[in-house]
Amino acid sequence: MKDLQLKNIFFILLGSAIYSFGFVHFNIQNELGEGGFAGLTLILYFLWNWDPALMNLLLNIPLFFIGWKLLGRKVFLYTIIGTVAVSAFLKIFLIYEVQIPLRDDLFLAALFAGVFVGVGLGIIFRYGGTTGGVDIIARLVQKYFGWSMGKTMFLFDALVIMLSWLTFLDYRSMMYTLVAVFVGARVIDFVQEGAYSGRGALIISNSQEEIASRIAIEMDRGITILRGYGHFTKEEREVLYCVVARNELVRLKNIVNSVDPHAFVSLIEVHDVMGEGFTLDEQKQPL
């Protein structure tokens, strides 16, 4: 256990609690479905009233034995922590359930279900854990059949939602379930990639030295000079690359335009920026 980090364990537990709270108070209370193994536990719960906390463990135990070598020791241990924590928190929230009356507004219930499930799973994934289930199956299919993990997980989720519709969901609830799953997927990406979002700029100009100097002096941002080669001109060119915050984008454009109105500028989305000026100060200390 010495290779496990307490910080990661703490956030995996926190993510499990958030996920379980949303699952109980928005999915179960409002009879909304879900993809993956969570969706299977809902089917068993609404058909035969089987305990979702217990079913989550029982469904995952066989996969633990299969996934030991696939996941690696550290991820495997984090996965066990995450799966057991989810089951434990599900049991706690089912016993000490708080009634949140949203049956008359299923759209709001679907949004909250997606946000809580997305934030919870996003935190778990961000700190090295998983909740077992489809993730292990997807790795197996990728290894032995060559399918991408995303494709396998999408097909499994689609099958579970279809099965939910055939068993306990009506048309209306199934459509809101799709809303919840879509929102959850987007939120997972947002949490994993980081809340910070900047812009990367690639700048090609005949006045690259002046542009780089002004960006460094006026914006206090670092610039990297890349070597480029123009296919049409057959000439080597220097390409400037820098990363700025969203609220600095207009200043960057103004600097480039004032120096060279004909400069070629390409902007790209940048997520989760790390390093000096973003997460570290000039002394390399965390901001």
Side-chain angles (χ1 to χ4, degrees):
M1 295 288 285
K2 64 180 181 180
D3 55 344
L4 301 185
Q5 296 183 17
L6 289 178
K7 176 185 175 182
N8 288 28
I9 293 174
F10 170 79
F11 279 104
I12 289 172
L13 294 176
L14 176 63
S16 300
I18 294 171
Y19 169 86
S20 301
F21 181 89
F23 189 78
V24 169
H25 293 91
F26 300 110
N27 289 87
I28 292 180
Q29 280 191 12
N30 298 284
E31 296 187 16
L32 294 174
E34 182 57 77
F37 273 33
L40 292 178
T41 64
L42 285 174
I43 293 172
L44 297 173
Y45 175 75
F46 286 115
L47 287 183
W48 298 295
N49 201 33
W50 290 0
D51 185 359
L54 179 60
M55 289 301 103
N56 181 62
L57 272 182
L58 293 180
L59 288 172
N60 275 291
I61 285 175
L63 293 177
F64 286 158
F65 293 101
I66 300 172
W68 167 260
K69 291 184 178 179
L70 279 175
L71 297 176
R73 183 174 182 273
K74 182 184 289 188
V75 177
F76 176 76
L77 292 174
Y78 282 144
T79 296
I80 290 180
I81 293 171
T83 305
V84 173
V86 165
S87 289
F89 282 117
L90 282 175
K91 193 65 178 178
I92 291 170
F93 290 129
L94 283 168
I95 294 173
Y96 301 101
E97 189 174 352
V98 178
Q99 292 301 318
I100 303 176
L102 290 176
R103 293 303 296 271
D104 295 330
D105 193 348
L106 282 182
F107 183 71
L108 192 59
L111 287 179
F112 273 97
V115 169
F116 271 81
V117 168
V119 170
L121 288 179
I123 292 174
I124 292 172
F125 295 158
R126 187 178 176 92
Y127 287 92
T130 73
T131 54
V134 187
D135 182 64
I136 297 176
I137 293 176
R139 289 171 189 259
L140 281 170
V141 173
Q142 183 183 49
K143 180 177 181 179
Y144 293 107
F145 298 99
W147 287 21
S148 69
M149 289 183 62
K151 181 179 180 180
T152 302
M153 294 173 79
F154 173 79
L155 289 175
F156 192 92
D157 286 349
L159 287 173
V160 170
I161 292 173
M162 183 62 66
L163 185 60
S164 300
W165 172 56
L166 294 173
T167 51
F168 75 92
L169 289 178
D170 55 25
Y171 281 105
R172 185 165 174 263
S173 296
M174 186 186 73
M175 288 188 287
Y176 283 118
T177 293
L178 293 176
V179 172
V181 171
F182 175 78
V183 171
R186 299 299 297 172
V187 173
I188 287 173
D189 289 341
F190 176 78
V191 174
Q192 279 192 287
E193 292 170 353
Y196 179 87
S197 180
R199 292 290 187 274
L202 292 167
I203 306 166
I204 302 175
S205 168
N206 292 324
S207 306
Q208 68 271 8
E209 189 61 40
E210 185 179 351
I211 291 174
S213 297
R214 287 191 57 181
I215 292 173
I217 294 170
E218 297 177 26
M219 300 185 65
D220 195 27
R221 289 296 183 197
I223 304 97
T224 299
I225 298 177
L226 308 174
R227 300 295 178 185
Y229 182 80
H231 177 267
F232 180 77
T233 62
K234 307 301 181 184
E235 296 178 355
E236 289 191 356
R237 300 289 296 274
E238 290 185 347
V239 181
L240 305 181
Y241 176 70
C242 68
V243 177
V244 298
R246 279 186 173 183
N247 59 354
E248 296 175 315
L249 195 55
V250 173
R251 288 180 62 197
L252 177 67
K253 290 180 178 179
N254 289 339
I255 289 174
V256 174
N257 189 59
S258 66
V259 175
D260 182 5
H262 304 292
F264 179 86
V265 181
S266 175
L267 299 174
I268 53 178
E269 193 84 23
V270 177
H271 294 282
D272 208 9
V273 184
M274 297 175 287
E276 186 176 333
F278 294 92
T279 57
L280 302 174
D281 60 20
E282 294 180 357
Q283 284 72 45
K284 310 297 185 185
Q285 297 300 312
L287 292 173

